[in-house]
Amino acid sequence: MLRKPEHESKIATRRMDLRYPDLGAACTDIARLREGGYELVGTWSLAQILDHLNLSMQMTIDGADFTFPSLMRPVMKWMFMPTMRKGKPSKLRGKAPEQLQPAMDLDEDACAKRFYSLAETLMDPSTPFVSHYPMLGRLTREQWLLLQQWHAAHHLSFVVPND
């Protein structure tokens, strides 16, 4: 009987229960992953995941030059906000908009430093946020932070720490 090597079976398991109470916890997790080593479950490198998250976090401050159709945004908000509040992984799969696609050749150190800096900026109560997210429409500050925490947990769930 053929069995998967232990290494492969470990990699096949995402961290589906990953949740962050705030972006500081995501920073701590990233530092731990980088120090202790990790295996990737998905197709993006850790640098690409961080670049994607950085682009999304930057939208919180600068806004976006794209949007989803106006009739779709309330439906998406109705579908996603309860999932995000509960910290559950999304069952929907799709490709990130072109504006949020990560670059191919990235420096992991630079991407991690940018993530830490953006997380600190977003957690600062004096940082102004834009009012609209392209997919969900108008968001409060609390909803923006919840979105970014949930988004980070979703993508970082594909990075499995070495034990």
Side-chain angles (χ1 to χ4, degrees):
M1 177 174 173
L2 292 175
R3 292 182 2 182
K4 286 185 178 180
E6 188 175 322
H7 177 72
E8 285 183 29
S9 61
K10 176 185 165 196
I11 293 174
T13 305
R14 275 179 58 196
R15 300 188 297 163
M16 296 294 289
D17 60 345
L18 185 61
R19 293 183 182 139
Y20 298 125
D22 56 38
L23 290 170
C27 291
T28 300
D29 188 36
I30 291 165
R32 183 177 62 88
L33 289 164
R34 296 185 72 229
E35 288 170 11
Y38 57 83
E39 299 289 339
L40 297 168
V41 175
T43 58
W44 285 351
S45 69
L46 179 57
Q48 287 175 306
I49 290 169
L50 294 173
D51 188 51
H52 171 72
L53 294 172
N54 292 343
L55 292 167
S56 178
M57 287 194 293
Q58 191 67 53
M59 280 182 10
T60 305
I61 303 164
D62 295 339
D65 60 358
F66 68 98
T67 190
F68 282 57
S70 59
L71 293 176
M72 207 174 147
R73 290 187 299 255
V75 173
M76 297 299 284
K77 189 173 185 177
W78 176 78
M79 287 172 51
F80 272 99
M81 287 311 293
T83 300
M84 285 189 282
R85 279 194 182 95
K86 292 176 186 172
K88 290 184 171 182
S90 171
K91 292 184 173 114
L92 295 177
R93 293 289 175 256
K95 189 174 181 180
E98 184 179 326
Q99 298 86 338
L100 295 176
Q101 288 288 325
M104 294 301 291
D105 203 16
L106 294 162
D107 177 77
E108 186 179 297
D109 287 336
C111 291
K113 287 176 186 170
R114 179 86 177 122
F115 185 93
Y116 302 149
S117 175
L118 282 165
E120 185 176 331
T121 299
L122 294 185
M123 290 187 299
D124 181 342
S126 68
T127 300
F129 290 1
V130 297
S131 61
H132 286 78
Y133 179 68
M135 187 175 82
L136 304 176
R138 184 174 295 278
L139 295 179
T140 65
R141 179 179 191 79
E142 175 190 334
Q143 289 170 328
W144 264 113
L145 289 170
L146 180 66
L147 168 67
Q148 295 303 342
Q149 291 159 206
W150 176 85
H151 192 215
H154 166 70
H155 284 287
L156 290 168
S157 74
F158 292 94
V159 186
V160 180
N162 291 336
D163 291 292

